[in-house]
Amino acid sequence: MMATASSSETADPFLELCALPYEQSEKRDTCQRCRRPSVVCVCSCFPESPVSIETRVVILQHPNEEGRCLATVPLLVECVSRDKVHVIRGKRFGDSRRHPVLHKALTSPNSYILYPGRNAIDLHSLHRDPIGCNSSNDGAALIVLDGTWAQAKALYTQNPTLHNIQQVLLRPLRCLCRHQLDHGAVTHHSKEDPDYLPREVRARIKKEQKLQALTGTQDKRGLT
């Protein structure tokens, strides 16, 4: 006599799971201006009206940065005159003539690139007056690499035409950083920070620096 399986044993467990009630997640409200979630809206940090500037800001944006929900370019557009901000997307800009604004910036002696290289200087130490405040600074521009640290470094490395531009640094965006820390962000070291390196690597670098310093001292004694 064959045993017949009960209905509970033959039921499809996946169908039972589909029949279970579920709660639909509510989408967070988003600020239409800064494009941040309303709870971390940064519009209070924006100027009452866009700041009028003479310098053109040429942003070389990595393709992967365009779709990020926390992109920073829209924040810049809300702070300065929109006709002074030019966004060019891509990875290589060998033929700058395809982009007249970039070509003009690369050929101008009054242009700078925002990049934390060894030869970078504080932008605030260059001029008391804004760049481009007179006719002698015609074509002045600030070139900005938009992307993660790795992407920005790749953009700079893969485009030799940028290497002839003076590197500059800006003071930290204290207002934005403080706002992020107040709403759950945590501090962390950049991969460019020496403290981020493993202990063994830091020790090796320190040893090499001591050896170089010792070699330099001996060379000086030999010359005297």
Side-chain angles (χ1 to χ4, degrees):
M1 186 176 185
M2 296 181 61
T4 58
S6 63
S7 60
S8 59
E9 294 177 349
T10 58
D12 190 342
F14 292 102
L15 293 178
E16 294 180 358
L17 288 176
C18 292
L20 293 176
Y22 66 94
E23 296 181 0
Q24 293 184 351
S25 59
E26 296 182 359
K27 187 176 181 180
R28 294 186 298 180
D29 292 334
T30 303
C31 175
Q32 297 301 314
R33 188 181 182 190
C34 68
R35 304 181 187 180
R36 260 62 175 173
S38 299
V39 293
V40 289
C41 173
V42 295
C43 291
S44 60
C45 302
F46 293 162
E48 294 183 359
S49 59
V51 178
S52 178
I53 60 175
E54 296 296 332
T55 304
R56 295 182 181 274
V57 181
V58 182
I59 300 175
L60 304 183
Q61 187 179 71
H62 192 278
N64 293 348
E65 190 71 12
E66 181 183 3
R68 291 189 62 202
C69 59
L70 298 181
T72 52
V73 171
L75 303 184
L76 176 63
V77 174
E78 292 292 338
C79 296
V80 300
S81 304
R82 298 196 177 194
D83 61 330
K84 295 297 183 180
V85 181
H86 305 269
V87 181
I88 304 174
R89 298 182 180 90
K91 294 183 179 180
R92 297 181 183 274
F93 309 94
D95 186 5
S96 62
R97 291 171 297 181
R98 296 175 52 191
H99 309 284
V101 175
L102 176 59
H103 181 71
K104 189 174 184 179
L106 293 175
T107 55
S108 171
N110 300 305
S111 293
Y112 303 88
I113 182 168
L114 187 63
Y115 190 78
R118 293 184 177 180
N119 298 322
I121 57 179
D122 189 348
L123 182 61
H124 296 272
S125 67
L126 295 177
H127 303 282
R128 288 185 176 272
D129 298 324
I131 303 172
C133 62
N134 52 56
S135 58
S136 62
N137 283 334
D138 180 45
L142 178 64
I143 301 175
V144 180
L145 306 179
D146 185 32
T148 63
W149 282 111
Q151 292 167 353
K153 188 174 184 179
L155 286 174
Y156 186 82
T157 303
Q158 296 172 4
N159 292 277
T161 53
L162 301 176
H163 299 176
N164 297 325
I165 308 297
Q166 173 63 56
Q167 301 171 356
V168 293
L169 294 173
L170 277 176
R171 295 171 183 172
L173 301 177
R174 299 184 185 278
C175 183
L176 181 59
C177 293
R178 184 174 61 252
H179 188 88
Q180 292 174 336
L181 291 172
D182 291 342
H183 290 82
V186 295
T187 57
H188 63 87
H189 290 291
S190 165
K191 290 184 179 180
E192 303 294 330
D193 193 324
D195 292 335
Y196 181 88
L197 299 175
R199 182 184 303 175
E200 297 79 6
V201 177
R202 295 200 305 268
R204 177 171 54 81
I205 294 176
K206 188 174 182 180
K207 182 177 180 181
E208 292 176 353
Q209 291 175 343
K210 287 184 177 180
L211 181 60
Q212 291 176 356
L214 180 61
T215 303
T217 303
Q218 293 176 347
D219 292 341
K220 289 181 181 179
R221 290 177 178 177
L223 293 176
T224 57

